[in-house]
Each structure stands twice: as structure tokens, then as C-alpha cells.
Amino acid sequence: MDMMQSAAAPVQEARTSRALVLSGGIAMGAFAAGACAALEEAGGPPPSHLAGSSAGALTAALIAGNPPGRRVERLRAFWESVALDPTPATSALLGPPPAGGAWRRAYNRAAVLQSLLLGRPGLYRPRLALPWSIGQAPALYDLAPLLQRLRSSVDFDRLNSGETRLAIAATDVVSGERVVFDTGRGDRIGPEHVVASCALLPIFAPIEVEGRLLADGGLASNAPLDLVLDEPGEGEVLCFVVELFARAGTRPRTLTDAASRAGDLAFGNQTRRILEGQIREHRLRALVADLVERLPEEVRQDPALAARLRDAAGGGRGATVVMLGYHAGLDEAGLGKAFDFSPATLRDRWRGGEARMREALARLEADAPPRARPGLRLVEVG
């Protein structure tokens, strides 16, 4: 589905920058990694602005903290390292499970159980301390392994160099505020900021950063696309948004289905509300820009009024938002799908992200709209 909200007056050809917004979703982040890999392999300018929450912040850090040409390699190495076969004996004897059916369902559920009981090397481990220990926030797991992993996988000097702008979201556990760390605004992002964005309560322990107890950014905005679209600037922005929680789905058949669907709706609807707000804002900016053109010259030349009108019109920046959605397969592990780190599922998700991004790029190439000011065009894929 395409939606276009724009002013009628065309403007001159302007430079188009690329941005990438990645949502959280724990193990479903392999889909986003595959989409990023397909985007890089397609060529063209790399994204100059990255934003993400939770697993999306992790993927964005791996991209911003590695040079072009090595980013796909780093993403692939990360996801291959966290994959673990839940039934190694069966796989050795019979090969990998089929794409669907009873065997695949059992395999996926075994992978979830394995992740919940044992943790995941390089990501998280069960907490040994009692949950009521003094000075510790209650949680089932801690993310100390991920903190160590990031130090060896991400060049934080490169990440903070300004070559690629990175913004990640976390949530203040006490105040409930969204907390944003943005290299474009002078913040220095370290591994602790990324881990804080991934700390989904009460599963993962929150992290103390800069005097605030921070938890998963998805609790405030799971796909923080406003961090890109609210930025002023000249020219167009092409913003790819990878959403891992499907807003549209099917009627639940079991309690597990219902719980899984509730998670999809809670997080997926966050993104939809942000997007709808952006569409309304761009429509209003288009109206202001049109009204400015109709004002008498002496009114437009008033210095105080002119500055306010320029702010309201947004500087003439247009945007194309490409929404790539992940839809879990029927045989995925329902409520536990975010903890399915099995090699077969991660491979399927990676390939699904690649396919969705290639479809999006083909759509854009086949249907390039005339640019308008200040417009927002939405292209939904999947």
C-alpha cells in the first residue's frame, strides 16, 4: 500500500540521503540483519543516519562501528555465533528440520526452552544472585556477556566519529521517560548504552548509565523512526524501517497464540502511532508551505514571522518511508519466538529479511514518484 501526503508545488531535484530504523525483537533481529545485508549488497550510498531500540540498537551499533565492506561479515558472524542447535543428535542423523510441520514445531520449541534454561553464550546468562539482593534490580538474566561481546565486535571510536550518525533509545525505569543517545547531538555511545537499550524488563536486568537506571528502548518506542524524521535538513530522506512485530495477524487459536498476538499488537501499534503522527505533521507542514506562498510579500519579509514560518514548514524536507514487516511463520514458537536462536530459524529469518529488502528496492526502482515539498510517502512491504 502506498500513501502520499505532500504539497502540490514541486521543487527542484535535491540530494537524497538514506536512513535506517531498526526495531527490537531479540532473536527476530536476524530478519533485520538480513535486510541490512541486502541493502548493503545492493550498492548505492550507505545509510548516513541509523536509529534503533533493543536488538535494533545492537544491529545499528554493529553497522556504525564497522567499515563498509565488513558490516555484512560482522552481522553474519554475530548471528552465527549465537545460534545453537537444540537437537544436535537428531540433526546429525537426519539433517536439519523441514521448513514446517510437527518436527519443525518441536525443534523450534526445544530451541526456546534451551535459551530460557541455559541462556545464550555471548548474549545473556541466568542471574545467579537472588532477585531480592540489595542494590540489584530483579530480573531473570543479565546481559554481561553481550557487554563483553560488543567491546570486541564494535569499534566505538569509529561509531562515535561522525561518519555515520547513530541514535539509540532506552527507557528510564524510574521516570518512564524515553532516553535517547545520539552521536549527532554530541553524545558518546559506548557498549553500556547499547546494552541498556536491550534490557527488557523483567527478563533482562536494567543497566545504570549516567546516573539513570535504564531498560529496553522498546518500552518507549520500539522503532523510533521519529528520531530520523523529526530532524531538520535539506533534500530528501529515504528511510527504511524494519518492524519485527506484525500489527496485522490472524485470529488466535490457543492461549499461547493470544499471548504472542498481544506482544505483536503492543509493539507493532507503537510504530503505527508514530508513523500516523508523522503523516499528520507532514500534511500540516505542506499546508503551511502552501499558505506561505500565498501571503503578501510584506508579511513574508517580516523577520520574526519569517523564522516562525520556516520552522513550521520544516525547511522543505521530504521523506519516503519504506516499512519492512516481519511475519512469524505458523510453526514458529508463538510467545517464545523471540528466544528461538536455532540455526534453522535464524537462517530463515535472515533470508526473509534479504528477500523483503530486495522486494522493497525493486518497488522503489519501479515506482519513483515526483518529489514534492514537504511530503511523506509511505511504502509498505510485507
Side-chain angles (χ1 to χ4, degrees):
M1 178 181 71
D2 290 359
M3 296 174 62
M4 187 72 178
Q5 303 291 346
S6 65
V11 295
Q12 295 180 345
E13 190 77 7
R15 183 181 64 85
T16 299
S17 61
R18 285 185 172 186
L20 185 60
V21 177
L22 305 171
S23 86
I26 311 179
M28 293 186 295
F31 176 89
C36 294
L39 182 61
E40 178 156 321
E41 290 166 356
S48 58
H49 196 168
L50 304 171
S53 290
S54 195
L58 170 59
T59 300
L62 286 166
I63 294 171
N66 284 284
R70 292 198 60 195
R71 291 168 175 173
V72 174
E73 171 192 334
R74 282 291 191 183
L75 287 170
R76 193 179 298 278
F78 177 86
W79 285 101
E80 288 178 350
S81 72
V82 299
L84 190 61
D85 194 329
T87 58
T90 303
S91 297
L93 290 172
L94 303 176
W103 179 3
R104 182 58 183 270
R105 286 194 296 274
Y107 172 89
N108 291 343
R109 283 157 178 74
V112 172
L113 184 61
Q114 179 190 59
S115 296
L116 294 176
L117 290 177
L118 304 177
R120 179 62 53 218
L123 280 183
Y124 61 91
R125 65 191 179 199
R127 297 193 78 180
L128 300 179
L130 296 175
W132 52 83
S133 297
I134 295 175
Q136 294 185 347
L140 298 174
Y141 309 94
D142 75 60
L143 291 162
L146 176 59
L147 190 67
Q148 295 300 321
R149 178 68 178 275
L150 283 168
R151 293 189 175 113
S152 61
S153 301
V154 175
D155 180 345
F156 282 93
D157 287 334
R158 171 181 283 275
L159 183 150
N160 289 287
S161 68
E163 177 184 353
T164 303
R165 181 174 181 175
L166 173 64
I168 62 175
T171 305
D172 188 307
V173 173
V174 178
S175 70
E177 296 174 278
R178 183 174 74 169
V179 180
V180 175
F181 301 102
D182 187 344
T183 60
R185 296 183 180 274
D187 297 327
R188 181 170 179 85
I189 293 176
E192 66 279 4
H193 299 89
V194 180
V195 171
S197 182
C198 297
L200 180 61
L201 291 172
I203 301 169
F204 302 120
I207 308 294
E208 189 93 23
V209 179
E210 300 178 11
R212 306 179 79 167
L213 189 63
L214 301 182
D216 196 291
L219 297 173
S221 55
N222 199 45
L225 62 132
D226 58 307
L227 298 182
V228 170
L229 298 182
D230 281 348
E231 282 299 306
E234 297 298 326
E236 300 277 321
V237 59
L238 173 59
C239 181
F240 296 93
V241 181
V242 182
E243 173 55 70
L244 300 179
F245 289 92
R247 180 170 173 264
T250 58
R251 183 189 294 262
R253 295 169 296 177
T254 66
L255 281 175
T256 300
D257 289 345
S260 177
R261 192 75 196 103
D264 287 343
L265 291 170
F267 289 110
N269 273 324
Q270 275 189 23
T271 305
R272 181 59 57 169
R273 296 289 86 80
I274 294 175
L275 184 58
E276 289 173 349
Q278 289 291 326
I279 290 174
R280 288 193 298 270
E281 181 175 329
H282 276 75
R283 183 187 297 129
L284 180 59
R285 290 184 185 278
L287 176 61
V288 172
D290 186 52
L291 290 174
V292 168
E293 295 298 321
R294 298 168 185 265
L295 290 175
E297 184 66 23
E298 61 272 17
V299 175
R300 282 188 283 163
Q301 293 302 321
D302 180 278
L305 181 59
R308 294 172 62 188
L309 289 174
R310 280 196 303 271
D311 288 341
R317 195 181 198 204
T320 295
V321 176
V322 183
M323 291 282 296
L324 287 73
Y326 174 68
H327 293 268
L330 293 176
D331 292 315
E332 289 205 32
L335 181 61
K337 63 191 176 187
F339 288 90
D340 184 353
F341 286 92
S342 63
T345 298
L346 294 184
R347 182 172 56 249
D348 289 348
R349 288 170 176 167
W350 181 289
R351 290 173 177 172
E354 287 180 321
R356 199 77 84 212
M357 179 59 77
R358 288 170 184 148
E359 180 184 351
L361 293 172
R363 286 266 303 274
L364 289 173
E365 185 175 358
D367 185 28
R371 291 194 172 107
R373 181 188 57 155
L376 188 151
R377 178 184 182 230
L378 171 63
V379 179
E380 297 189 84
V381 183

